[in-house]
Amino acid sequence: GSQNISETDLNKIIETVKSDLSETIKLKKATVECKELPAFHCNSLQFGQLLQNLISNALKFQKPGNHPRIVISHEMISGNMINNPMAISDKKYLKIEITDNGIGFEQEYENKIFQMFYRLNGISEFPGTGMGLAICKKIVENHNGFIAAKSTPENGATFSCYFPVEH
């Protein structure tokens, strides 16, 4: 269909994103660690955009002089283990998590940050349109999944994307 869903090597997508962001990664002396990811049925262009937005945010929302450390991990998890009203208990999910050591945010803003044009931080301090996370949410939802964020100020953030696995 129009969704262009196909079996995708997520590791290749990560490599592409890392090479697209390589200038910023070098400039900020960042490390991006990623454990081997599984193949996954998805729209690879959208998935690339999702990971690119999440990783570039993690690079951007940093204290000056901090070396960004971004860790991408995944697990297969059953819906009944996920503490989220969107989770369907008898489904299996691929959970992909992006954790950073950036400035973080107050947990109470979790839902706001996924809204179009909502900007948590001072307008001038961090460049960008404020659309990145809204796009991420849309992409995850296009794949019948949901996205959650956990953070405390000054302690980095973790973005968790949950995708139902059709088997």
Side-chain angles (χ1 to χ4, degrees):
S2 59
Q3 281 290 296
N4 295 320
I5 303 281
S6 60
E7 186 80 357
T8 303
D9 180 350
L10 298 182
N11 301 294
K12 284 211 177 83
I13 291 185
I14 294 278
E15 286 313 309
T16 304
V17 169
K18 277 166 71 169
S19 93
D20 289 349
L21 295 171
S22 61
E23 288 297 303
T24 314
I25 291 170
K26 267 208 227 39
L27 199 67
K28 299 205 163 199
K29 300 183 167 66
T31 53
V32 180
E33 293 168 34
C34 185
K35 306 262 186 320
E36 184 83 8
L37 290 167
F40 183 57
H41 259 79
C42 64
N43 176 316
S44 59
L45 281 176
Q46 288 188 10
F47 223 84
Q49 193 178 14
L50 168 69
L51 290 168
Q52 175 138 9
N53 284 353
L54 289 172
I55 293 169
S56 57
N57 270 5
L59 291 167
K60 188 187 342 184
F61 294 108
Q62 293 278 347
K63 271 217 198 59
N66 196 35
H67 295 183
R69 179 164 180 261
I70 299 161
V71 179
I72 301 157
S73 60
H74 76 279
E75 62 176 324
M76 285 296 180
I77 185 170
S78 63
N80 59 1
M81 302 296 292
I82 302 169
N83 181 14
N84 188 301
M86 306 279 287
I88 299 162
S89 60
D90 59 358
K91 271 198 187 294
K92 279 251 181 293
Y93 289 84
L94 168 62
K95 173 188 182 185
I96 296 181
E97 225 164 48
I98 288 94
T99 301
D100 66 52
N101 61 344
I103 57 173
F105 56 85
E106 298 277 0
Q107 189 63 40
E108 66 195 83
Y109 292 115
E110 178 189 9
N111 293 325
K112 278 224 168 78
I113 61 173
F114 292 110
Q115 291 163 13
M116 205 58 113
F117 300 121
Y118 184 80
R119 302 183 56 135
L120 205 51
N121 298 292
I123 295 296
S124 60
E125 195 182 351
F126 295 100
T129 58
M131 280 176 65
L133 287 172
I135 292 168
C136 290
K137 181 172 192 266
K138 183 92 191 82
I139 291 171
V140 175
E141 287 169 357
N142 285 350
H143 290 82
N144 305 311
F146 53 93
I147 186 169
K150 280 216 178 347
S151 183
T152 48
E154 309 300 330
N155 280 312
T158 296
F159 286 87
S160 304
C161 306
Y162 297 88
F163 301 96
V165 179
E166 309 303 337
H167 280 314

